[in-house]
Amino acid sequence: MLRESASCRLWVAMDRWYLCKQFFSFLEENNYDWVTKAKRNTALFRLVIEPATLRRRYVPITPVTLIREVFKQLTRQAASGLSSIAIPDIYMKRPYTTVNRKGMQVTKQRYVPIAAVLAIRLKEDEQLDSDPTQPEGEESPATYRGAYLLISNRSDAPEEVLQTYVKRWRIEVFFRAAKQELAFEKCHSESEAHHHAHFELLFAAETLLAVSLFELNKGKTSAEGYTHGEMVRGLFHTRCQVRLNNHKGIQRISVDCDTQVQQFARLIELFWPRHCLVLLWDTQKPEIYQKLPQTA
């Protein structure tokens, strides 16, 4: 569906649970690039060329072993902030379909070069709550002293691999906010179209909240500014009354909200249609109000 409206090359940053070679092939066939964290059981191979015979050999290596080998080199970089280093000559076995001598389709494996990027101090590591009692299994990420191994099909652009994967955390933050504060899981319809509409409304609401937070937190510190939850309660969890009346033969629509108008005066001024007259009253001081300019 996305390819019906966009034909450019796009990135897909995914969680390690989606690590599947058939899925990787599907993405590449449709002009997508992918990046994910390597799991502990991800089968990787290092290309080794023998000096005497120049024979190419693919030596199996585990992601954890690969991280341990390069970890000291990684820590010699900046002492703080996100750090990364690309590891060359790393391959992965990928299935492909071909026709044998008997004319039958068979699935074989071939070595495909991948980008292997060792990264430390990712943003998500600072936010996620780790569970020390959870056992480390094959589905756990390959990690060593807080360093992770990112893998991607873009072996020619390891710098873009890390930049793309870091953006994935914004998606996780959006889903957490949508579930906790925007009623993402409160759609009880069984229609797929209704679920799509519900999700699109969440995107619209989150966009409005992002602009609101930007406007209200200008020039403020983190302690003085508003949080995402405060914005939700202030904008959406309010009672609203709409009235239609006539004033000197002119039809008007009045919207009364029981929210603190002063906090959102700047926001209303930005998004309210300029041909409408807006009067913002302070409920605690009715004699004080703000009149926004009216245009034709």
Side-chain angles (χ1 to χ4, degrees):
M1 294 174 62
L2 180 60
R3 280 304 177 204
E4 294 177 0
S5 58
S7 59
C8 58
R9 195 167 185 172
L10 298 173
W11 276 94
V12 176
M14 69 191 80
D15 193 279
R16 66 183 184 277
W17 305 108
Y18 292 93
L19 200 159
C20 174
K21 295 180 180 180
Q22 286 76 13
F23 185 43
F24 293 164
S25 300
F26 167 80
L27 292 175
E28 294 173 15
E29 290 171 0
N30 289 275
N31 201 23
Y32 291 99
D33 297 323
W34 55 266
V35 56
T36 185
K37 273 184 180 178
K39 295 188 292 188
R40 300 180 67 87
N41 65 336
T42 303
L44 300 178
F45 300 85
R46 170 181 283 160
L47 174 61
V48 177
I49 301 179
E50 297 180 351
T53 62
L54 299 181
R55 178 190 173 192
R56 297 167 61 94
R57 294 176 51 240
Y58 296 94
V59 180
I61 185 170
T62 65
V64 176
T65 303
L66 198 60
I67 297 174
R68 289 174 181 267
E69 290 181 358
V70 194
F71 184 78
K72 288 186 179 181
Q73 185 178 352
L74 177 67
T75 54
R76 293 193 189 103
Q77 298 182 9
S80 61
L82 182 63
S83 300
S84 66
I85 186 172
I87 307 173
D89 299 329
I90 301 300
Y91 286 71
M92 174 186 289
K93 274 188 177 182
R94 296 277 298 280
Y96 70 99
T97 303
T98 185
V99 179
N100 60 13
R101 296 179 180 178
K102 297 181 180 180
M104 301 176 59
Q105 285 191 349
V106 293
T107 301
K108 295 186 177 182
Q109 301 284 336
R110 61 184 171 192
Y111 294 99
V112 177
I114 63 170
V117 179
L118 184 61
I120 195 171
R121 289 182 287 272
L122 297 174
K123 185 68 176 178
E124 58 192 75
D125 300 330
E126 303 173 5
Q127 302 292 335
L128 291 176
D129 296 326
S130 58
D131 184 6
T133 62
Q134 184 178 4
E136 293 186 355
E138 294 181 347
E139 297 296 330
S140 302
T143 179
Y144 176 73
R145 295 186 180 181
Y148 294 88
L149 184 66
L150 306 179
I151 57 176
S152 169
N153 66 307
R154 290 300 302 275
S155 58
D156 60 326
E159 299 83 6
E160 295 184 29
V161 171
L162 179 63
Q163 295 174 3
T164 303
Y165 186 82
V166 169
K167 295 178 182 178
R168 188 191 68 90
W169 179 243
R170 302 177 188 176
I171 304 174
E172 300 293 340
V173 173
F174 165 73
F175 272 105
R176 182 177 61 185
K179 292 179 180 178
Q180 296 179 356
E181 300 169 352
L182 297 179
F184 172 73
E185 299 173 331
K186 299 300 182 181
C187 182
H188 302 292
S189 174
E190 297 182 357
S191 169
E192 181 180 359
H194 290 176
H195 283 282
H196 282 287
H198 178 68
F199 195 60
E200 290 172 2
L201 287 174
L202 290 181
F203 272 107
E206 182 63 23
T207 302
L208 174 62
L209 286 168
V211 176
S212 305
L213 282 170
F214 176 77
E215 289 293 330
L216 293 178
N217 292 340
K218 277 183 178 179
K220 297 180 180 179
T221 63
S222 57
E224 298 172 344
Y226 295 92
T227 64
H228 189 279
E230 290 173 344
M231 292 298 302
V232 171
R233 291 188 293 271
L235 285 178
F236 301 140
H237 295 179
T238 60
R239 289 179 296 176
C240 180
Q241 181 182 3
V242 181
R243 295 180 288 107
L244 179 64
N245 52 38
N246 289 308
H247 179 73
K248 297 181 180 181
I250 301 176
Q251 195 174 54
R252 291 182 174 181
I253 298 176
S254 300
V255 182
D256 301 327
C257 302
D258 63 341
T259 184
Q260 300 180 13
V261 178
Q262 288 181 341
Q263 296 181 6
F264 306 103
R266 172 63 178 162
L267 179 68
I268 296 174
E269 183 180 2
L270 285 173
F271 292 99
W272 195 268
R274 305 309 300 173
H275 62 276
C276 297
L277 178 65
V278 182
L279 297 177
L280 304 181
W281 273 276
D282 188 335
T283 56
Q284 298 178 355
K285 300 178 181 180
E287 69 277 5
I288 300 177
Y289 68 91
Q290 177 184 3
K291 181 178 180 181
L292 302 183
Q294 182 180 15
T295 59

